[in-house]
Amino acid sequence: MKKKKIAGIIILILGIIIVKILYNPQKEKNTSIQESTQNETVEYNNNPQITEEKNINNIIFTDIKCSYDGTYSLLTYKIINKTNQTIKLEEYEIIIKDKNNNILANISPSISQELKPQDEIETGNAIDIDLREAYSLELVIPE
């Protein structure tokens, strides 16, 4: 049931972003991969240091995608529990930096759902910062 709620929240966020894209035209920039839809552009940051799989104490963050629609950046990813115990990621930190190691964004998401061993969940975070030129993504999970 909780997976359906989380999936619903993600769909709602994506729907809001799509509506924002369709009804709020922005200037097109050619700094990253672009996807055009009705004169709108969604740009993706495909820097491997952003998109590569991250493993923190057998908690895997994979399928990481970072897009920008001219107003919001959307960071989506899958979390897989590869530990031998049930975990709850009530707090963790995503630190996104530029190529000069300056922090562009510090996100503190929370997953209220417990993840049993081998469970996975897809989630995402929308922020009003342009992350097309972000260079690295670090994850911090408090012990």
Side-chain angles (χ1 to χ4, degrees), residues 60-133:
I60 311 298
F61 291 76
T62 188
D63 296 336
I64 301 169
K65 295 176 183 66
C66 182
S67 61
Y68 180 70
D69 69 2
T71 304
Y72 295 98
S73 288
L74 180 62
L75 186 66
T76 60
Y77 48 94
K78 183 187 301 183
I79 302 171
I80 306 170
N81 180 7
K82 294 286 189 175
T83 69
N84 294 325
Q85 55 190 342
T86 299
I87 62 168
K88 197 167 186 180
L89 293 174
E90 289 183 314
E91 62 178 68
Y92 60 100
E93 193 172 5
I94 302 171
I95 303 165
I96 302 172
K97 297 182 178 180
D98 66 14
K99 64 182 173 184
N100 295 320
N101 213 29
N102 297 312
I103 296 175
L104 296 174
N106 193 333
I107 307 167
S108 298
S110 175
I111 305 290
S112 59
Q113 175 182 344
E114 288 185 343
L115 295 174
K116 295 177 182 165
Q118 305 307 313
D119 274 0
E120 60 184 58
I121 186 170
E122 290 186 42
T123 188
N125 308 97
I127 57 174
D128 60 354
I129 298 171
D130 181 354
L131 296 177
R132 289 175 295 178
E133 301 299 321

Side-chain angles (χ1 to χ4, degrees), residues 16-84:
I16 291 169
I17 291 172
I18 290 170
V19 169
K20 185 79 170 165
I21 291 169
L22 294 175
Y23 293 103
N24 189 10
Q26 299 292 323
K27 295 179 184 174
E28 188 173 314
K29 297 182 181 179
N30 295 319
T31 58
S32 58
I33 295 177
Q34 299 178 351
E35 179 180 291
S36 295
T37 307
Q38 294 184 358
N39 297 325
E40 286 301 318
T41 302
V42 175
E43 299 180 50
Y44 295 88
N45 181 333
N46 289 318
N47 183 330
Q49 292 177 329
I50 297 286
T51 61
E52 70 187 0
E53 183 176 282
K54 317 270 190 278
N55 181 340
I56 293 129
N57 300 325
N58 289 322
I59 301 170
I60 311 298
F61 291 76
T62 188
D63 296 336
I64 301 169
K65 295 176 183 66
C66 182
S67 61
Y68 180 70
D69 69 2
T71 304
Y72 295 98
S73 288
L74 180 62
L75 186 66
T76 60
Y77 48 94
K78 183 187 301 183
I79 302 171
I80 306 170
N81 180 7
K82 294 286 189 175
T83 69
N84 294 325

Side-chain angles (χ1 to χ4, degrees), residues 3-18:
K3 285 184 181 181
K4 289 182 180 178
K5 286 182 183 179
I6 292 171
I9 291 169
I10 291 172
I11 290 170
L12 179 64
I13 290 171
L14 292 173
I16 291 169
I17 291 172
I18 290 170

